[in-house]
């Protein structure tokens, strides 16, 4: 234990020193490095293990946290992403869907209208499925695995639900913006989400106007996005923040509202985000101990600055990060250190992550975190097929629905829970075993191309270097015993993917 | 040998069916949680309050549309064909001004609060929900089974007692055969998930056996239920025979915008919920007499409509208590005249019937729990008997 603590303390000091790249370390064996990768990626891969063994953990992590080159996915994955309609810019895509909706609503024949409305709904659902497909392809094959996990984390933190209104058109764009900002500062993320039409619509802020207050977004902004429920705010603060947020809404058209000449200069439009001064409450606001002078859209920036720097935010979001990456009940001392780093670095996410990953608590927690459904499904497919790119993510989306953690499908703004209790119920375990069998027994639809009658031939190949070097040496005796009783490769795969060892990261 | 011990030995999957059956006369409890805070004032309508009609110019349910319950209250027409008949049979009661002392108006905070059922002050244990503690109090020496009909085990059922969970929307045949299940259970034998895994296999097998009859019924021309109604019917099949403590949640009640009145968004949801519960009552058959369904929600909504013909987060709600043995056909609990002066913080219904007191009183009647047992289920709370069962 002492050696471990020493070596991680050394790692910590090296990571803090950006100018001198740390030398490769050989402090850990391949099995321990695999566990480390299992925590920082969507499931360790042979390639990442080889890179860590060659360059050392620090160099691998630096490349993850400061990606310099444009990301390249394997060609077969990239081609699938490029073929998606959600690649189109958001505004024209939304307007095209709006036109389809209006055309359907305008039909006078009831049968034709019902049919057209159904088609519209199906088109929306198809777009959200495309976004899910892109998310899963990125999780499976992006070399920037830490960034992909952070993208998922931030979407969940700033959660929106795909089935509200037309959000199915928007979730892909919303997620892509979170991906780009996922390793930046918290303030950037907060500002981004506060102005994205998906959020403004999901939490009803587009309905929030002077004298017609809707406090839904204001409350969740304090409770879930920044300070946390015990973070020191009152009902009065919620109401005042709701006033600050008045006038910030969504405009899907090209039209501009009619304004009095004096208000023209205050109007702002950016994509579908609109600040409409005619709907804003220009009175002064008192919240969280400060006075916000009524001045229009800039009020919100003042409040977001305050919230992003607030010690309660630093602690609340650091704890949530540690809950996702370290333990259901993260060690308070670790959370405090992360929050301190947050305060010192103005909420720079990579700094907070470095403080976490370099900690002895992180190392000590490896292999003890129960995988949530997304980690389970993605890591199983990564293990089963490694570099052989799947041709259809549909089955994965279906498994995530069955396990209760489908992309963009958490209805409530709190996001999916991050602790084992939420995912390890008896019914959920049984479902996992059935999915283990599906993945372990054959191609499971993952290689079925749309329009073709059958799957292209594929079979899970788990016996690769990652398995022999990284996984086999640490399997529990009971797991070994079960694997030895397998009567076919299918059954062997099923048992491995169903084992307690594979349920944890 | 106790069934739980068998489960721990990993033998659960091979147990014969009848061991899992509940005693035929033991009371059944189904808690239905409406997540998102349903607007109680548009289900249980305060028809004698002129203030209600002033406060809701666009979304009030007109007195002529509401089904009269007593001098002060009417029922939403959306449940005319489902819950109102139960009311007329004396099998439905409503408890207005119900809820928690939590005034955070946060969905999640207040849902957690209710599900945990712990003291208002002090730190909370997120591994101990009140239905699990109830299972514990009732479970000694009995074959009681507790189950959540949800994808996840909700807070309300988490705790020391082993519970089952299985969503009943889509059900197929088990994909893992018995021998494979034994092998997999063997891998978990010495882990903290051991009883979870064996319990899960068994429940899966039982549920699919139970549901085998469904196909047959459908082929004989029974109306194919969908959505919540389908789930409610399946829940009834399990609760009739095996499960005595059940839980399900229904989402989508957060009507900030365009809530509607006698018809519209909320009415549609209430209609679907009501039909499901009526189907449940029907499917329970003779067991309906031993069954109590309690419908709860985390809080009520603002009494006045907001600027978007919807309602925002409020405080007091109205709970439903249904069952063949329920002393219904009445509005139960503490009441107050509905007017501006009696609103909580000049915006919401007050809470006059605290949920733990209400459930405590009900459990006393249903199960004959003593004070020590009640203190285990709801520490620090005192029960209030509303004579509901």
């Amino acid at each position: 234990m002492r050696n471990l603590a020493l070596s991680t303390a050394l790692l910590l000091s090296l990571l803090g020193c950006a100018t001198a790249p740390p030398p490769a370390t050989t402090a850990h064996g391949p099995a321990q490095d695999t566990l480390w990768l299992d925590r920082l990626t969507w499931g360790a891969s042979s390639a990442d293990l080889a890179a860590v063994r060659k360059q050392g953990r620090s160099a691998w992590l630096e490349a993850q946290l400061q990606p310099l080159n444009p990301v390249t996915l394997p060609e077969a994955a990239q081609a699938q992403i490029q073929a998606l309609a959600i690649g189109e810019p958001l505004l024209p895509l939304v307007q095209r869907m709006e036109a389809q909706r209006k055309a359907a609503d305008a039909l006078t024949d009831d049968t034709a209208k019902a049919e057209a409305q159904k088609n519209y709904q199906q088109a929306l659902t198809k777009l959200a499925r495309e976004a899910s497909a892109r998310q899963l392809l990125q999780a499976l094959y992006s070399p920037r695995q830490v960034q992909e996990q952070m993208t998922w984390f931030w979407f969940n933190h700033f959660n929106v639900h795909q089935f509200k209104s037309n959000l199915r058109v928007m979730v892909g764009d919303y997620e892509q913006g979170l991906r780009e900002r996922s390793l930046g500062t918290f303030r950037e993320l907060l500002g981004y989400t506060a102005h994205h039409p998906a959020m403004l619509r999901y939490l009803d802020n587009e309905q929030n106007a002077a004298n017609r207050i809707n406090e839904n977004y204001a409350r969740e902004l304090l409770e879930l996005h920044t300070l946390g429920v015990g973070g020191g705010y009152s009902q009065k603060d919620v109401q005042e923040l709701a006033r600050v947020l008045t006038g910030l809404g969504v405009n899907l058209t090209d039209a501009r509202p009619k304004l009095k000449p004096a208000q023209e200069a205050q109007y702002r439009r950016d994509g579908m985000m609109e600040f409409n001064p005619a709907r804003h409450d220009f009175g002064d606001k008192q919240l969280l101990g400060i006075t916000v002078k009524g001045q229009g859209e800039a009020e919100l920036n003042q409040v977001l600055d305050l919230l992003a720097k607030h010690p309660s935010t630093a602690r609340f979001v650091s704890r949530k990060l540690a809950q996702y990456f370290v333990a259901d009940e993260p060690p308070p001392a670790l959370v405090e250190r992360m929050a301190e780093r947050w305060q010192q670095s103005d909420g720079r996410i990579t700094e907070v992550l470095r403080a976490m990953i370099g900690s002895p608590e992180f190392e000590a927690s490896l292999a003890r975190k129960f995988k949530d459904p997304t980690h389970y499904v993605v890591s199983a497919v990564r293990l089963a097929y490694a570099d052989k790119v799947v041709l259809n993510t549909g089955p994965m989306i279906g498994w995530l629905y069955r396990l209760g953690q489908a992309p963009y499908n958490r209805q409530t703004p709190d996001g999916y829970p991050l602790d084992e209790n939420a995912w390890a119920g008896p019914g959920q375990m049984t479902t996992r075993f059935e999915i283990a069998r599906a993945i372990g027994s054959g191609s499971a639809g993952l290689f079925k191309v749309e329009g073709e009658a059958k799957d292209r031939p594929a079979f899970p190949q788990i016996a690769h270097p990652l398995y022999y070097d990284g996984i086999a040496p640490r399997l529990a005796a009971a797991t070994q015993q079960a694997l030895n009783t397998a009567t076919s490769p299918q059954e062997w795969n099923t048992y491995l993917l169903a084992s307690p060892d594979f349920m944890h990261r | 040998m106790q069934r739980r011990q068998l489960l721990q030995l990993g033998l659960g999957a091979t147990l014969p069916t009848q061991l899992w059956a509940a005693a035929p006369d033991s009371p059944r409890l189904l808690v239905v949680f409406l997540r998102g805070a349903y607007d109680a004032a548009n289900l249980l309508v305060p028809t004698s309050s002129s203030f209600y009609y002033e406060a809701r110019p666009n979304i009030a349910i007109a007195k002529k549309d509401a089904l009269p319950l007593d001098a002060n209250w009417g029922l939403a027409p959306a449940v005319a064909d489902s819950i109102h008949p139960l009311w007329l049979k004396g099998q439905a009661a409503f408890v207005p001004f119900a809820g928690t002392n939590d005034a955070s108006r946060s969905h999640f905070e207040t849902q957690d609060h209710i599900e945990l059922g712990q003291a208002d002050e002090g730190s909370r244990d997120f591994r101990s929900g009140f239905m699990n503690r109830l299972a514990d109090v009732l479970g000694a020496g009995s074959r009681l089974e507790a189950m959540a009909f949800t994808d996840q085990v909700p807070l309300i059922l988490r705790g020391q007692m082993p519970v089952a969970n299985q969503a009943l929307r889509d059900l197929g045949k088990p994909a893992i055969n018995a021998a494979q299940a034994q092998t997999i259970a063997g891998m978990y034998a010495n882990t903290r998930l051991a009883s979870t895994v064996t319990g899960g296999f068994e429940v899966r097998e039982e549920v699919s056996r139970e549901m085998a009859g469904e196909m047959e019924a459908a082929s004989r021309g029974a109306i194919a239920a969908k959505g919540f109604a389908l789930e409610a019917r399946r829940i009834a099949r399990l609760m009739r025979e095996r499960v005595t403590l059940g839980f399900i949640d229904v989402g989508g009640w957060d009507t900030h915008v365009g809530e509607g009145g006698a018809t519209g968004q909320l009415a549609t949801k209430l209609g679907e919920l009501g039909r499901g519960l009526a189907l449940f009552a029907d499917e329970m058959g003779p067991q309906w007499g031993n069954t109590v369904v309690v419908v709860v929600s985390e809080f009520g909504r603002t009494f006045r409509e907001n600027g978007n013909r919807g309602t925002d987060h409020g405080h007091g709600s109205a709970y439903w208590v249904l069952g063949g043995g329920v002393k219904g056909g009445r509005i139960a609990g503490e009441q107050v005249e509905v007017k501006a002066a009696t609103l909580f913080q000049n915006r919401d219904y007050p809470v006059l019937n605290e949920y733990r007191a209400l459930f405590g009183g009900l459990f006393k009647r249903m199960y004959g729990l003593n004070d020590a047992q009640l203190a285990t289920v709801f520490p620090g709370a005192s029960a209030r008997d509303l004579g509901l069962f």
Side-chain angles (χ1 to χ4, degrees):
Chain A
M1 244 359 248
R2 169 170 293 209
N3 280 340
L4 186 66
L6 268 178
S7 67
T8 47
L10 181 67
L11 186 65
L12 183 65
S13 66
L14 289 170
L15 288 173
C17 176
T19 46
T25 168
T26 51
H28 308 281
Q32 186 70 11
D33 280 339
T34 302
L35 291 179
W36 189 76
L37 282 168
D38 266 339
R39 188 63 69 70
L40 291 171
T41 68
W42 287 108
S45 69
S46 293
D48 280 325
L49 181 59
V52 165
R53 299 303 294 165
K54 191 167 163 226
Q55 314 158 8
R57 289 181 177 187
S58 313
W60 184 88
L61 184 62
E62 280 313 300
Q64 290 285 319
L65 295 183
Q66 294 180 320
L68 297 173
N69 305 315
V71 66
T72 44
L73 266 58
E75 209 182 312
Q78 198 65 46
Q80 288 179 59
I81 290 174
Q82 265 152 9
L84 301 172
I86 49 164
E88 184 183 343
L90 185 58
L91 186 59
L93 183 62
V94 168
Q95 290 184 337
R96 192 154 52 76
M97 295 306 298
E98 278 295 284
Q100 186 179 347
R101 179 178 66 82
K102 285 177 185 158
D105 290 351
L107 290 172
T108 48
D109 176 71
D110 282 354
T111 318
K113 185 175 183 165
E115 182 67 17
Q117 285 174 334
K118 197 179 89 189
N119 290 341
Y120 166 70
Q121 291 297 330
Q122 285 176 345
L124 281 181
T125 301
K126 182 161 182 272
L127 290 170
R129 270 185 86 86
E130 285 196 1
S132 304
R134 182 172 68 186
Q135 183 205 85
L136 289 169
L137 287 167
Q138 295 272 12
L140 287 168
Y141 304 115
S142 172
R144 291 183 191 168
Q145 286 285 301
V146 174
Q147 184 178 24
E148 285 308 313
Q149 287 212 83
M150 289 306 296
T151 304
W152 191 96
F153 177 86
W154 290 126
F155 193 108
N156 197 58
H157 183 75
F158 296 106
N159 188 47
V160 302
H161 180 229
Q162 60 178 346
F163 284 110
K164 175 140 181 176
S165 181
N166 66 341
L167 254 65
R168 279 163 287 172
V169 199
M170 300 182 188
V171 287
D173 181 82
Y174 181 63
E175 180 180 67
Q176 185 57 29
L178 290 170
R179 176 173 288 115
E180 287 158 12
R181 291 163 182 82
S182 58
L183 296 171
T185 65
F186 185 75
R187 176 66 182 80
E188 291 162 2
L189 287 154
L190 194 59
Y192 168 75
T193 55
H195 294 90
H196 198 282
M199 180 60 78
L200 293 171
R201 178 154 277 197
Y202 173 59
L203 288 178
D204 300 321
N205 206 65
E206 61 176 330
Q207 316 278 350
N208 182 27
N211 302 318
R212 280 186 290 134
I213 290 292
N214 187 311
E215 54 188 50
N216 200 14
Y217 179 43
R219 181 183 309 281
E220 308 308 7
L221 185 51
L222 297 177
E223 178 185 329
L224 298 173
H225 299 170
T226 58
L227 304 178
V229 80
Y233 64 92
S234 64
Q235 170 64 23
K236 182 83 188 346
D237 291 324
V238 172
Q239 288 166 344
E240 291 290 280
L241 179 54
R243 291 178 60 216
V244 169
L245 286 163
T246 49
L248 192 62
V250 176
N251 183 347
L252 307 185
T253 70
D254 290 324
R256 184 185 164 109
K258 288 211 169 34
L259 296 169
K260 294 175 188 154
Q263 289 174 330
E264 285 289 343
Q266 288 266 4
Y267 179 82
R268 192 168 77 87
R269 175 82 191 261
D270 181 8
M272 271 168 290
M273 189 284 299
E274 176 179 79
F275 178 75
N276 182 347
R279 293 167 61 85
H280 185 69
D281 176 344
F282 276 90
D284 291 351
K285 291 97 184 171
Q286 301 280 341
L287 72 156
L288 302 165
I290 62 162
T291 302
V292 179
K293 282 270 167 216
Q295 53 179 316
E297 201 195 348
E299 293 164 38
L300 179 60
N301 289 330
Q302 190 188 342
V303 177
L304 295 185
D305 285 346
L306 173 79
L307 289 172
K309 280 191 184 138
H310 200 288
S312 294
T313 304
R315 208 171 296 121
F316 177 64
V317 184
S318 292
R319 185 176 191 281
K320 203 162 161 185
L321 276 166
Q323 206 187 19
Y324 190 60
F325 281 106
V326 182
D328 290 359
E329 293 293 333
L334 172 64
V335 175
E336 274 315 305
R337 293 204 304 281
M338 290 167 67
E340 264 170 47
R341 195 71 204 108
W342 179 297
Q343 299 275 63
Q344 291 159 0
S345 67
D346 258 342
R348 185 155 287 285
I349 302 309
T350 48
E351 290 304 306
V352 180
L353 287 178
R354 281 193 180 93
M356 179 185 75
I357 298 166
S359 72
E361 290 95 334
F362 184 84
E363 191 71 31
S365 74
L366 297 181
R368 295 184 180 188
K369 177 89 184 155
F370 187 78
K371 287 177 185 175
D372 64 21
T374 310
H375 277 104
Y376 180 72
V377 167
V378 177
S379 66
V381 174
R382 273 168 70 87
L383 180 65
Y385 290 101
D387 298 334
K388 186 174 166 66
V389 172
V390 302
L391 303 176
N392 190 343
T393 52
M396 296 176 74
I397 297 171
W399 296 326
L400 289 171
Y401 268 100
R402 286 185 65 195
L403 291 168
Q405 204 185 31
Y408 328 123
N409 207 41
R410 175 74 173 182
Q411 198 171 355
T412 49
D414 55 343
Y416 289 115
L418 303 177
D419 60 326
E420 168 173 337
N421 273 321
W423 306 116
Q428 292 156 302
M429 294 303 293
T430 316
T431 306
R432 278 196 195 202
F433 301 143
E434 293 182 357
I435 291 165
R437 182 178 176 276
I439 298 173
S441 303
S443 50
L446 295 166
F447 294 87
K448 186 173 184 316
V449 177
E450 211 178 320
E452 293 179 10
K454 278 185 175 173
D455 273 29
R456 295 190 186 172
F459 192 78
Q461 297 290 347
I462 293 180
H464 46 63
L466 179 75
Y467 175 74
Y468 289 113
D469 300 341
I471 297 175
R474 63 176 166 85
L475 287 177
T479 303
Q480 284 287 6
Q481 215 178 322
L483 292 174
N484 291 340
T485 68
T487 55
S488 66
Q490 287 86 342
E491 208 168 65
W492 190 94
N493 292 339
T494 302
Y495 291 158
L496 184 71
L497 296 176
S499 69
D501 315 69
F502 193 73
M503 292 294 166
H504 292 80
R505 63 185 175 105
Chain B
M1 186 184 262
Q2 291 295 315
R3 188 186 140 68
R4 203 173 318 137
Q5 289 169 289
L6 285 172
L7 284 180
Q8 276 158 2
L9 290 173
L11 302 173
T14 58
L15 284 178
T17 317
Q18 53 271 29
L19 271 183
W20 203 36
D25 56 347
S26 58
R28 266 70 167 165
L29 172 70
L30 174 66
V31 174
V32 180
F33 204 123
L34 309 185
R35 295 194 193 273
Y38 92 103
D39 183 22
N42 269 13
L43 178 273
L44 186 63
V45 183
T47 43
S48 69
S49 165
S50 58
F51 176 57
Y52 169 76
Y53 292 98
E54 285 160 35
R56 299 186 166 214
N58 297 298
I59 63 168
I61 294 177
K63 191 165 181 176
K64 66 173 173 54
D65 292 333
L67 308 155
L69 298 180
D70 69 8
N72 295 318
W73 303 96
L75 192 61
V79 294
D81 58 350
S82 54
I83 303 301
H84 193 239
L86 292 175
W87 168 275
L88 294 175
K89 280 191 270 183
Q91 296 183 352
F94 296 94
V95 185
F97 311 109
T100 70
N101 298 325
D102 186 325
S104 69
R105 297 193 178 87
S106 150
H107 292 299
F108 322 106
E109 177 83 356
T110 319
Q111 286 176 17
D112 290 357
H113 200 121
I114 292 176
E115 293 183 59
L116 294 172
Q118 298 168 18
D120 288 337
E121 305 298 325
S123 70
R124 291 189 274 167
D125 177 359
F126 279 89
R127 288 160 195 276
S128 179
F130 85 76
M131 285 185 75
N132 193 285
R133 296 195 298 275
L134 177 63
D136 198 4
V137 162
L138 300 174
S142 86
R143 291 184 186 134
L144 179 128
E145 291 290 339
M147 181 163 179
F149 306 104
T150 53
D151 286 318
Q152 301 173 19
V153 177
L155 270 189
I156 199 168
L157 270 165
R158 287 192 206 162
Q160 293 174 356
M161 296 296 287
V163 299
N165 80 294
Q166 176 76 54
L168 302 176
R169 287 183 306 275
D170 327 294
L171 292 169
K173 275 182 73 173
I176 303 280
N177 68 36
Q180 289 168 335
Q182 289 279 24
T183 304
I184 291 172
M187 292 196 285
Y188 286 84
N190 293 315
T191 74
R192 67 187 184 292
L193 293 171
S195 66
T196 307
V197 168
T198 48
F201 277 127
E202 190 188 357
V203 167
R204 188 74 184 81
E205 198 181 305
E206 290 290 349
V207 166
S208 64
R209 193 176 309 171
E210 203 55 45
M211 295 312 145
E214 198 173 81
M215 306 290 281
E216 200 191 337
S219 65
R220 280 197 240 123
I223 298 161
K226 293 192 301 187
F228 179 70
L230 173 64
E231 283 177 83
R233 178 186 276 172
R234 289 172 166 174
I235 291 169
R237 283 163 188 261
L238 288 170
M239 291 197 70
R240 215 167 45 197
E241 307 296 332
R242 320 188 182 289
V243 176
T244 57
L245 284 175
F247 175 88
I248 180 141
D249 50 19
V250 184
W253 303 93
D254 201 10
T255 49
H256 286 278
V257 180
E259 175 176 314
T263 60
Q265 192 191 152
L266 178 65
T268 305
K269 292 282 301 177
L270 286 171
E272 191 187 358
L273 175 69
R275 279 189 296 279
L277 293 174
L279 200 58
F280 173 86
D282 197 44
E283 190 78 28
M284 286 302 284
Q287 280 293 1
W288 180 237
N290 292 321
T291 303
V292 177
V293 177
V294 186
V295 179
V296 303
S297 194
E298 61 265 33
F299 44 71
R301 307 190 69 82
T302 47
F303 191 75
R304 298 179 184 89
E305 69 179 50
N306 65 17
N308 312 126
R309 290 181 299 284
T311 47
D312 293 323
H313 300 184
H315 192 51
S317 181
Y319 293 173
W320 323 4
V321 182
L322 317 172
V326 161
K327 296 195 169 67
R330 66 201 178 94
I331 309 295
E334 206 60 36
Q335 292 187 47
V336 70
E337 189 190 338
V338 177
K339 56 184 181 183
T342 57
L343 291 187
F344 175 70
Q345 296 177 350
N346 189 30
R347 55 179 271 162
D348 313 324
Y349 271 148
V351 170
L352 307 174
N353 301 296
E354 204 259 352
Y355 76 104
R356 288 168 302 182
L358 189 158
F359 272 110
L362 187 62
F363 295 165
K364 221 168 166 168
R365 288 257 177 173
M366 287 176 69
Y367 304 113
L369 298 190
N370 61 36
D371 289 351
Q373 289 170 317
L374 279 172
T376 304
V377 180
F378 294 119
S382 47
R384 221 172 130 220
D385 187 359
L386 302 182
L388 284 165
F389 189 73

